[in-house]
């Protein structure tokens, strides 16, 4: 199927054409995107979501815009949504994708990262990496000659934040000035990327967390710079009930991230973060009827969020999970075509 066969009203062709600035580029953190590029990827994802709905019901042909492309998906850490998103996005667009778990390839063990990056670039058109050290994905990108996508490291989770912005836009339209509150471990990967995305989007982004769980100072500074240009706001609060007032979305993540479970501080962290659990009382304390609940998932119900909020009508977590597919597909198409 060529682009000519797309529904006339989808705007997809124009969005794909506008995405040419992303061609050949990697995505390691949201710091690499301009505000325009971030919104472009999200708009492209929205159009791709509509397009997929159309071809699933037989109203359009399935596109194969990545026919003949091959993708390497590397997972040092477990993944459900990110892995499925890359695999299904590749399948939808006619690309071949192979996943590699820890120990499947020599990366960083019998072969240094630079050599693995150069070898994989001879076989594959794009490389996704999920793992521990952010320096690993940076090294892969430095030595690869194809785009490298960060599927989560200890420090950043950029593809998650793209899906989060899409989910917020679907719910509220224009996001400028809206308050989004993240509760829990504000020092983790999900919060770092969400903070940068919200700051770029002009959102009033509040992180409710104990002082010891703040984001890295340099990332906070970057987010504040973005916010000063977008008209947004980035702030930290320790009182969850005050922080959530006026919020259109409450967002949380697990309190103990992958790789932290066995660390000595894990137990203390759970106790420190307990006051930041998203409960129905906190949802009510926003003072709004339309507040939604977001979570990157997987959730640790009874800890970061109560079961009733997770299962409530305000919960958009499964829409958010599905949006991982459409945003990752947008990123693939923009960087590979
Ligand atoms: N949110 C997210 O990245 O989910 P997975 O760990 O299942 O990929
Ligand atoms: N902060 C979590 C996100 C999981 C998607 C982790 O790193 O485990």
């Amino acid at each position: 199927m060529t682009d000519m066969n797309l529904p006339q009203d989808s705007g997809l062709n124009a969005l794909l054409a506008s995405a040419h600035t992303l061609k050949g580029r990697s995505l390691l953190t949201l710091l690499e995107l301009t505000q325009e590029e971030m919104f472009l990827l999200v708009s492209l994802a929205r159009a791709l979501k509509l397009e997929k709905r159309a071809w699933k019901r037989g109203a359009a042909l399935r596109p194969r815009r990545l026919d003949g492309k091959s993708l390497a998906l590397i997972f040092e850490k477990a993944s459900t949504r990110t892995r499925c998103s890359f695999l299904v996005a590749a399948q939808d667009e006619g690309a071949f994708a192979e996943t590699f778990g820890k120990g499947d390839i020599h990366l960083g063990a019998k072969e240094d990262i630079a050599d693995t990056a150069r070898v994989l670039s001879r076989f594959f058109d794009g490389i996704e990496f999920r793992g521990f050290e952010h320096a690993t994905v940076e090294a892969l990108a430095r030595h690869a000659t194809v785009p490298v996508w960060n599927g989560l490291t200890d420090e950043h989770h950029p593809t998650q934040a793209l899906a989060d912005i899409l989910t917020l836009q679907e719910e509220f339209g224009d996001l400028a000035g809206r308050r989004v509150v993240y509760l829990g471990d504000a020092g983790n990967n999900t919060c770092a990327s969400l903070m940068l995305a919200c700051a770029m989007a002009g959102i009033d982004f509040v992180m409710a967390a104990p002082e010891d769980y703040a984001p890295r100072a340099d990332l906070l500074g970057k987010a504040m710079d973005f916010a000063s240009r977008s008209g947004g706001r980035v702030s930290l609060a320790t009182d969850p009930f005050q922080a959530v007032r006026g919020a259109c979305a409450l967002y949380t993540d697990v309190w103990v991230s992958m790789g932290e479970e066995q660390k000595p501080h894990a137990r203390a962290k759970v106790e420190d973060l307990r006051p930041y659990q998203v409960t129905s009382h906190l949802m009510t304390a926003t003072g709004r009827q339309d507040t939604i609940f977001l979570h990157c998932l997987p959730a640790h119900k009874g800890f970061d969020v109560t079961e009733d909020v997770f299962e409530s009508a305000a919960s958009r977590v499964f829409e958010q999970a599905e949006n991982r597919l459409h945003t990752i597909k947008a990123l693939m198409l923009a960087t590979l075509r």
Side-chain angles (χ1 to χ4, degrees), residues 77-78 81-82 130 151-154 157 160 182 185 188-191 253-261 296-298 324:
K77 287 177 178 171
R81 281 142 288 269
T82 311
R130 163 172 289 206
L152 176 148
T153 59
D154 286 346
H157 197 2
Q160 177 68 51
Y182 175 95
D185 182 6
N188 80 9
N189 42 17
T190 300
C191 186
D253 184 9
V254 289
W255 292 340
V256 178
S257 285
M258 286 180 277
E260 282 190 314
E261 296 89 345
C296 59
L297 304 183
R324 300 295 311 287

Side-chain angles (χ1 to χ4, degrees), residues 5 22 39 60 86-87 93 102 122 152 169 196-197 205-206 228 266 269 277 286 288 307 309 311 322 327 332:
N5 299 112
L22 289 158
F39 279 134
F86 273 98
L87 281 171
E93 293 292 343
K102 198 168 167 56
R122 296 290 179 117
L152 176 148
Q169 271 191 356
L196 293 169
F205 184 67
V206 184
S228 68
K269 205 172 173 188
Q277 180 186 59
T286 65
R288 298 178 63 116
E307 179 113 28
V309 171
E311 298 295 346
E322 183 197 323
T327 41
M332 268 185 196

Side-chain angles (χ1 to χ4, degrees), residues 247-307:
C248 71
L250 302 192
Y251 191 127
T252 192
D253 184 9
V254 289
W255 292 340
V256 178
S257 285
M258 286 180 277
E260 282 190 314
E261 296 89 345
Q262 307 311 326
K263 298 222 168 121
H265 67 260
R267 196 182 291 257
K269 205 172 173 188
V270 170
E271 292 315 313
D272 292 345
L273 295 178
R274 220 175 268 286
Y276 300 87
Q277 180 186 59
V278 180
T279 61
S280 55
H281 296 302
L282 263 189
M283 292 292 285
T284 307
T286 65
R288 298 178 63 116
Q289 302 295 315
D290 62 347
T291 305
I292 60 169
F293 170 68
L294 297 174
H295 195 308
C296 59
L297 304 183
H300 195 187
K301 285 173 258 180
F303 290 84
D304 29 88
V305 59
T306 55
E307 179 113 28

Side-chain angles (χ1 to χ4, degrees), residues 16 24 43 131 216 318 321 334:
L16 281 170
S43 300
R216 252 176 38 201
F318 297 111

